[in-house]
Structure formats: structure tokens, C-alpha cells
Amino acid sequence: MVCIRKFCRLLKPVYFMKKMKRGLKNCITILALFFLISYMCYGEHRENKASDLFQRTQQASVFYLDNGMEVIFIENHANPMIAAVTIVKTGSRNEDAASNGSAHFLEHLLFNGTKKRTQEQIYSEIDFYGGYNNAHTTTDHTNYMILMPKEYIAQGMDIQADMLFNSTLPVEKFEKERGIVIEEIGKSANQPTYQVQNHSQRTFYTDTPYERPILGTVSTISHLKRDRVLTYYQTWYVPNNMTLMVIGDFTTAEMLELVKEKYGLYPPGPLPDHESIQLKQPSHFRIVRAHGVGKFPDNQQYLTMTYLLPPPASVDFASLGFLTEFLGSKENSILEMLFNQEPYKDMVNTISASLDFNRDFSTLQISAELPLNTDVDRVVELITQSVQNMAKNAIPANEISSALIAQQTQEIYLLEQLHYYAMMKSNYLVAGGYPFLLDYMDKALQVTPLSIRKAAEHYLRDRIPMVTLMSPPLQIPDITKAQSLNQYHRETLVNGLTVAVKENKDSRVTGIHLLAKERGLSEGKDAWGMTEILQRMLLEGGTDRHPGKALYQEFESIGAELKVHDNPYIPFDDYYHTPQFAYIRLKSIDTFFEKGLELLAEMVSQPKLTKEAFDQAKKQVIPLSATDAMSTGAVAYRLLYDNLFIRNPGFGWLLGDTKRLEKLQLHEVQAFHRTLYNPANLMLVISGNLPIEEVMKVVKNYFSSTWGEAGWQPPEFTPQFGKLGTTVHEKIGKPQSYIALANTFEMKEEDKPAVNILGNLFSDRLAFNLREKQGLAYTIGIQLGKYRDAHWYTISMGTRPENIKRAITGIQEEISHIRKATFEADEVQRTINAAIGRRGMRRLDRVNQAYYISMELLDGNTPEADDQYNERLKKVTPQDLKRLVHKVFQNDNHLIVIVE
């Protein structure tokens, strides 16, 4: 009605001005006004849609216990799980130079025993109840999170509160944990980005606690005394310095009583006064240069530009957040567009912007990876101009509306992943509590083109950034040369496309997983890695209807999340990254499901695989391939699979060989798309709340045609194992070594649950005996591999070179022990519950649900098989493990790979 009234008011003078000439001029005027008002109505519709989405996320209740602990409850009944995340408002900021690393060290120690639980009991109880228990440390706070099945949340909270308030920091565990933390520092230092970040921090935050690494250094951890850590614990770990967020399947009234019972018993404590940190703006421009050390990439350099901004309490903070997004933290950002056009397109490999903040200040950080031959001064000049131009070039209102919708849909997505939601909001809660978080989200709705321009003018136009550059080493010595009812449907369309749908009413999120089978075989050995280029081109090039960035803008306008390749900067999220398939993962809310599916169909069947998109994708993938070739873990897995199989179908080579990728031609990728993405080679799985009939109608509307080389199938292949009992040793000059030990076994489908439980149980024993007791590794575990009818296991471990012989002997001894072991009923039940809990955690997200259904289809099972697997796990007995242990670990004829 508001829009109609505006339209009538504007039309009235057109019809009733007596002196206005009639005819064509009037028609043109009316049409122009019609389109103007249509645009205004559309804008209002978008703003109302964003506001509506925002209101649906604000369902929290906030309480304060008598001991000062802030408690936030968010009910979410979509899954029978509950997360409790306690945010302790202290981190490395509250350390000095000598005690650097204490906060993170303490986080480790809290898992080692309390006044009433040993370390073994903490792990055992969490596993028994099917829970997940973890923590992480930042500069300003430390998060402790548990994720539990709802019926066991009381037990989980009891464990968490016990760890937080009753830990003893056992003397006998201190040295072991010191070794583990030093291993973690070594692992992190193995990453170029860690060196880049440290260089930037030490330069920008000179003479403040923020200049020091969160993990500490090998020196500070080696000399750290238990008394220093204990004093830190007693000072900061008091309830009046904590915020507890509980999110999941509960009722607030009952949960409040439980929280009072578990966390309200502990008294508050005196806290040191908050000492504000005042940073000074740089007085003059300079580039602070440094060289990486060790096996640092020799083909690129890393640029960081940091601007000092006001604290988050500033009225401009929300506008600065949107400014950062449009500048460089979204697809089709200003900086990305700048360096994708002539004559600047070869000056930057990647560029992004991020906004970081704490209670005292915030920062805008622009990070770029540059080719070695780039004119760095010119790149800095162009970036500086772009930042300054934010003060005079307005962001269109409709783009702000799209970003706002994306932000609010992201909020809805995040609410599915209970413990992640609390983690992602912890920075806001530490900076100002829940009122600040709520106020920020409210102010985001008030951001306008003018507010962004004013913020840029006030804080950025005349400011000088701190600029750091890290280049390759000067010399690189070559040392070596309550569950809802789920409904399912499966159907094969006439064009050969396999479709499966899961219907569940308890979440508005729709997850879509499109799978293209056998990427490794389809590429062929000489073109391994080509899929990585194709995947990026699908989004980069757009479609016939939405060319270039227009496609991403369409996805963004509905708040959709699209993923076409693994993020190389996030470790351990690539469990779905395999030569068995390529994927497109799409997430939307029910309101925008049809539009999202239409865009996905367009993207797959009508992509514009242009030369420009090809060049851009190669520029992204080739450096990743080169970096992969320098990683001890990646090299170890390449060697492992090249030797495990007579003919490797592509395991370990997802990023391909750099030299082969450099020779790849556009026409090869175009032809590859026509085969890999033809309908008969695809599986489309959808998990959402819409009725199956409605979903299938939409699917058939957009996916029933034919495209590509219709009917094409990957080459026939039967996996065969090579000769075992050998050791492959390769040195690539890294300070961190990697070991992989593998063997094969045979397994019947009915034994799959028991074999999985056996693998999990053995992995726990490996971790406890070699990591926890001996401190030999930061990570160790066993993975059960399967490709068609071939089965194998791999035990992998990252350690220091001096530990290699001891580590291999330790692994072999553990294999010998497991063959002779007895399996107690409690241990088996604990492992089963832990497996079910982990499965529940992995399936909180609708896209992940669709992914796991895809895996069952790929194995020839029904869509509901993944849901039914928990019941199969519950039937596993100690006798099953005893029967199978000699079949899985049948001999010592291992393939051993060592990379250092």
C-alpha cells in the first residue's frame, strides 16, 4: 500500500497539470515513473525481506547467574542435539613476553584432569554419552564447547563445568602437554600464512600483547613454568569472566535450572582492571619487508595492508563491516574486479579484505598474494586509491540489500550448526556482551550508501596503512635433494540424472549436493587437477544468461551459499574432497529454493567456459598445486597411493601436477565439462523441508533436458593393489615430518559398522598411547579407505624428524597389541556412542545431509541408508570386534611412507 500511494501521488501532477501537452511525451513520462516506482517497491520489498529474516534470528533469552556469569539460551528444535559453549574472556592478550602461549597451553591442560576426573575419565565419559568436546584460543578469549545428544546434556555440562573450575593441571601431564604444544607450533610454522601473519602482527601491534603469537614460541613454551600457568588459570577462570551460550533442543525454563545447578555453584573472583590498548596511527608510509624461512613458496609474495579503525562501540561499526565486505570480502568485490581487468589482471593472484575487532579497537586488513615480478608499489597505490574511493563512490542500495539478505540467511544457516554458531558470535560477546551483538545486527539494517561513504571519509580517506610484505627466502638450502520423521524419494530421470530427496520439516534450510562421478578416472593421469580448474570456471565464467560475475550476484541476491571447490586455507574440512567425484554444494532457505535450483541447472548445463575464466582459474589453481607439492602430508599421500595401487585412480593428486596443469588448454577443459557434467554422470540430492512432490516438480522443470555428451560414462576400472611390505622415504627439506603406514583387507558389507567401530577404537588408543602419553605427535589417527570393492587402512602421523623411528615402532607395536586385545563392553559402547555423536555433528547441516546421502547412492544403497546406519552401529558387539580384528590387521606386510 505504501508503494501504491507513492505512485499515485507522483502520477497526479502528470494527469492534472493543465498546461502539460498530451501524447507521446506523457506516455514516456508515465512509463519512466512506473519503472522508478517499481524499483522503489522492489527495494522496499528487499528491505522488508531482510528485516523479516533478521527478526526470525532474534530468539535468544539472556540471564545472569548470581556469580556473574552471562548466560544466553537459543532454542533450536531441528535436531535432538544441544551445544554449550563457554566463552572465557581471556586469551593471549593477558600474557607477557615470558609467559606467551600460557592461554593456549592452559586450554590443553584443562583436558588433562580435574579434582574428580582423570584425563581418561573426561575422554571416556564424553565418548560414552556420544558427545563432542573441544576448545580453541584467540587473542581475547578462549572457547570451550560441548555438543551432546539432548538426553545427555546434563552429563556434558557437568564435565565442562568441572574442567573450567576444578582442573588440577596435573604435574605428571605437564611435560607431555608441553611436547604436544611444541608439535602444534611446528605444524603451524610449516604454513606460509602463519609466517605472514606473525610478520604483520609484530609490525602493526609493536609493543602491545597483540604482537605475540597465540600459540607462543618454542622458546616460551619450553621455559614455561607450571606456576605461571596456574596463576593465569586462577586469575581469569572465574564465572564473572565468562559467557555461556546454550543452543539446541531444550526448553529455556528447564535449561536455566540445569545451568544454575552445574555452573552456578562456583563463586566469582576479583578480576584485574581492564587496561585499554591505545594504538597510534602510522605517521608515514612505508613497506616493512621480510623474507620467509624454511620451505616457503618460491613463486609468490604476500602483501598485507592494515588500517586502524575505531572500537566496535562506534556508531559506524556496522557501516565499516559492510564497507569491508564490498571492498574485498565477497565475490565480485571492488578489489577483485579491479585486479581482474586490464592492465592489472596479472598483478595479483588473490586479494581479500577482513574486519577484525576487540573491545578497544578494530582493524581493516587487506591481504594479497602477488607474483614475484609484480610492481608492489603500484599494487599498494591501486589498493590505497580503492580504499580512499569508498568515501566518494556510493555502493548501490540494492547491493546493500542483497548483502543484508546474505548476512541474515547466513545467520539462519549458522543456527543449524549449533556449536559453530556460538563460536562465530564469541568475538561480539567478548567485545560487549549479548546487547552489543543484538545492537550490531539491528544497526546492520540501518546501513545505507551514505553511511558507508561517511565512515570511509572519516576513518579511511586520509589514513595511512601499515604495509608488510613477505617474500621467499633469500636462499633455500637444498638439504637433501527429538527426531522428526524423514521421508525419502529416489528417481532416475529420462536423461539419466539420478535424483534423491529427503524431506524433513524442522529447518528452513535446503541443502543441495550435485555430484559428478569419477573425476579422477575421467580426467586421466595426464590431466589430474583439471577438475579444480573447471570447478572455478563454472562460477567465474557465469552462464549464457548470467555471464561473468552476474551469476554469482544472482546467487548472492537470494542469500545462497555456493561451494564448488575445497577451501585450501581451512584444514580438516576436506573429507568430501576425493577423486571419486566432483561436487557443487548449494545452500538456500526454502523461500529461494526454486530460484537457487534454476541457477544451479543453468550453471551446470549452460556455462560460459571462457578464456578469461580459464586463465583466472589456472592462476588460482597452479599456486595451490605448487604449495601442495611442498607439503609433507600431501607428498606422503601421493607416494602412498602411487605405491598402494598398481594404477592410482587419482588419490593424492586432486590438485594435479603443476607442470602438466601449465600445459592444459581451454578446449580440453571445455570437452571435459561435456563428459563429466552430462546428466547420466550426475547425482542430485536435496535435503529440505519442502514436500517431495513439489521438489521433484521443480527438479524436472530445470534438470530434465539433455546437455553435454549425453549418456557418457567414466572409463571402466577395477582397482588392484600393488606390492606391499616396502618403505618409501623422501626428503623435501621440511622441519615437520609425515608418516603414513598402510595395509589392505577384505570386508563384507554387513561387517561395515563393526569395522568402523574397530577403526575408531584403535584410533583412540593410538592417539592416547602415542600422542597423549608420549607426546610424539600433534595429530595421529587411522583412516579406513574404500574404493569400489577395495579396502585398506592408513595410519598417518605428523611428527618431528628425530621422532620418526620411534613413531613407526610405536605404531607397529600398537597394531600388534590390538590383535591380542580384549574388547570390554563399556569401551565398545563408548566408541559406538562417540561415533553416533560425531555422525550427528556432521549432519547438523542440510548440505552435509545431502552429501552423506550421495555417498550411500554412490555405494549402491538407498537414500535412507545413512539414517539407518546408526541402528546398525548400535548392534555392534565386542565379539564382532574380536572376530574382525585379525581380518583387518591380518599381517605386518605394511607399506610405509616417510616424508621429511
Side-chain angles (χ1 to χ4, degrees), residues 582-597:
Y583 60 85
I584 300 176
R585 295 161 65 95
L586 176 64
K587 186 190 296 186
S588 73
I589 58 175
D590 47 13
T591 309
F592 304 120
F593 163 67
E594 181 169 358
K595 180 63 175 178
L597 199 68

Side-chain angles (χ1 to χ4, degrees), residues 76 85 309 318 597 667 843 854 891:
N76 185 333
V85 178
L309 298 178
L597 199 68
H667 68 87
R843 288 157 179 78
S854 299
N891 59 57

Side-chain angles (χ1 to χ4, degrees), residues 590-791:
D590 47 13
T591 309
F592 304 120
F593 163 67
E594 181 169 358
K595 180 63 175 178
L597 199 68
E598 178 187 11
L599 291 171
L600 178 62
E602 188 180 318
M603 178 180 177
V604 171
S605 62
Q606 305 165 35
K608 287 184 74 68
L609 303 179
T610 63
K611 181 66 165 60
E612 182 180 4
F614 175 67
D615 291 340
Q616 184 67 21
K618 282 184 72 174
K619 190 165 75 169
Q620 295 172 14
V621 173
I622 288 175
L624 294 176
S625 177
T627 300
D628 206 43
M630 294 188 293
S631 163
T632 51
V635 172
Y637 277 107
R638 288 182 176 186
L639 291 171
L640 176 81
Y641 291 117
D642 284 349
N643 287 274
L644 182 65
F645 292 102
I646 292 177
R647 177 190 164 201
N648 183 1
F651 286 95
W653 289 93
L654 296 178
L655 288 168
D657 178 81
T658 305
K659 292 182 179 179
R660 290 174 180 169
L661 290 179
E662 288 172 346
K663 298 176 181 178
L664 196 65
Q665 299 297 310
L666 173 61
H667 68 87
E668 296 176 274
V669 181
Q670 292 170 333
F672 180 57
H673 167 264
R674 291 193 292 271
T675 56
L676 185 70
Y677 274 99
N678 91 86
N681 198 47
L682 299 179
M683 292 180 173
L684 178 66
V685 179
I686 300 168
S687 176
N689 65 343
L690 298 174
I692 288 174
E693 297 79 9
E694 181 180 336
V695 171
M696 286 305 302
K697 181 179 179 181
V698 176
V699 169
K700 291 177 181 178
N701 189 30
Y702 296 114
F703 275 92
S704 59
S705 64
T706 58
W707 63 86
E709 293 190 18
W712 182 92
Q713 291 290 301
E716 292 291 330
F717 180 77
T718 301
Q720 293 179 294
F721 292 120
K723 182 182 178 182
L724 302 177
T726 59
T727 298
V728 180
H729 194 155
E730 184 159 320
K731 294 185 177 183
I732 62 173
K734 285 282 196 172
Q736 188 80 359
S737 301
Y738 206 87
I739 300 167
L741 183 149
N743 211 331
T744 64
F745 64 94
E746 295 182 358
M747 184 189 78
K748 296 178 180 178
E749 173 59 27
E750 58 265 29
D751 288 330
K752 178 181 175 181
V755 170
N756 284 346
I757 295 302
L758 175 62
N760 290 354
L761 186 149
F762 185 44
S763 191
D764 290 343
R765 291 189 181 184
L766 278 170
F768 193 78
N769 291 332
L770 299 184
R771 177 185 186 270
E772 299 297 332
K773 282 188 174 181
Q774 300 183 46
L776 283 176
Y778 176 62
T779 55
I780 183 172
I782 181 171
Q783 301 87 38
L784 300 176
K786 178 183 184 299
Y787 183 58
R788 301 191 180 183
D789 294 327
H791 297 270

Side-chain angles (χ1 to χ4, degrees), residues 394-406:
I395 302 296
N398 65 314
E399 291 189 23
I400 295 176
S401 296
S402 292
L404 194 56
I405 289 176

Side-chain angles (χ1 to χ4, degrees), residues 78 484-487 502-507 688-690 846:
S484 299
L485 180 65
N486 298 321
Q487 297 185 52
K502 176 182 178 181
E503 178 186 341
N504 179 292
K505 299 295 186 184
D506 283 339
S507 172
N689 65 343
L690 298 174
R846 287 287 174 107

Side-chain angles (χ1 to χ4, degrees), residues 99-389:
S99 64
N100 181 214
S102 296
H104 174 253
F105 199 162
L106 176 61
E107 173 219 305
H108 277 245
L109 289 168
L110 258 61
F111 289 81
N112 280 265
T114 70
K115 294 175 183 177
K116 65 177 183 179
R117 289 180 174 90
T118 64
Q119 180 187 43
E120 291 83 355
Q121 288 171 324
I122 291 173
Y123 285 109
S124 176
E125 286 186 43
I126 285 289
D127 285 347
F128 186 82
Y129 296 120
Y132 171 75
N133 188 13
N134 211 335
H136 84 281
T137 306
T138 73
T139 52
D140 294 274
H141 61 278
T142 308
N143 288 333
Y144 293 87
M145 67 203 80
I146 56 168
L147 179 66
M148 307 293 295
K150 61 181 290 187
E151 60 267 31
Y152 296 127
I153 187 58
Q155 292 87 339
M157 285 183 164
D158 191 75
I159 294 168
Q160 187 183 75
D162 192 29
M163 290 170 57
L164 288 169
F165 300 113
N166 298 318
S167 283
T168 57
L169 317 190
V171 176
E172 67 276 12
K173 302 284 188 178
F174 198 84
E175 290 306 317
K176 177 268 297 183
E177 210 61 52
R178 190 197 307 274
I180 291 174
V181 172
I182 289 174
E183 289 287 349
E184 184 175 355
I185 293 171
K187 176 177 177 291
S188 297
N190 200 30
Q191 303 298 320
T193 50
Y194 185 78
Q195 297 184 40
V196 173
Q197 181 182 13
N198 280 348
H199 174 44
S200 175
Q201 285 179 190
R202 289 187 180 279
T203 305
F204 187 78
Y205 297 117
T206 300
D207 297 327
T208 75
Y210 291 99
E211 73 172 338
R212 294 186 284 268
I214 294 170
L215 300 182
T217 66
V218 172
S219 177
T220 59
I221 297 302
S222 298
H223 295 92
L224 192 60
K225 304 298 183 186
R226 179 179 176 276
D227 289 347
R228 294 293 297 269
V229 183
L230 182 61
T231 299
Y232 184 96
Y233 174 53
Q234 294 168 339
T235 301
W236 298 105
Y237 277 62
V238 289
N240 48 312
N241 194 41
M242 298 179 181
T243 294
L244 170 66
M245 179 177 280
V246 186
I247 178 170
D249 191 10
F250 61 85
T251 59
T252 295
E254 293 178 355
M255 183 55 69
L256 180 58
E257 295 306 311
L258 179 61
V259 167
K260 288 179 179 178
E261 174 190 336
K262 300 300 181 183
Y263 300 88
L265 303 175
Y266 303 97
L271 287 169
D273 292 336
H274 176 78
E275 296 182 8
S276 295
I277 293 176
Q278 302 296 326
L279 296 174
K280 295 181 179 179
Q281 294 283 354
S283 58
H284 61 281
F285 175 81
R286 63 181 178 133
I287 299 178
V288 182
R289 301 172 186 266
H291 291 275
V293 297
K295 205 70 175 179
F296 194 89
D298 60 1
N299 61 343
Q300 61 185 12
Q301 48 193 337
Y302 297 80
L303 176 73
T304 307
M305 297 175 61
T306 308
Y307 289 84
L308 179 62
L309 298 178
S314 163
V315 294
D316 296 313
F317 186 66
S319 294
L320 288 168
F322 277 84
L323 180 152
T324 304
E325 182 173 351
F326 285 104
L327 182 65
S329 64
K330 66 189 286 292
E331 190 75 20
N332 200 23
S333 68
I334 290 169
L335 290 174
E336 181 184 329
M337 292 291 291
L338 171 66
F339 288 105
N340 277 341
Q341 66 184 21
E342 299 290 354
Y344 313 128
K345 63 185 303 181
D346 294 324
M347 298 182 74
V348 167
N349 292 333
T350 65
I351 190 165
S352 63
S354 61
L355 181 69
D356 195 13
F357 62 92
N358 56 58
R359 182 172 168 181
D360 295 330
F361 57 83
S362 60
T363 59
L364 166 64
Q365 187 172 97
I366 299 168
S367 304
E369 296 179 6
L370 316 177
L372 287 182
N373 60 352
T374 287
D375 182 345
V376 175
D377 291 330
R378 180 59 175 150
V379 171
V380 171
E381 180 185 357
L382 290 167
I383 294 173
T384 303
Q385 289 173 358
S386 296
V387 172
Q388 292 172 344
N389 287 340

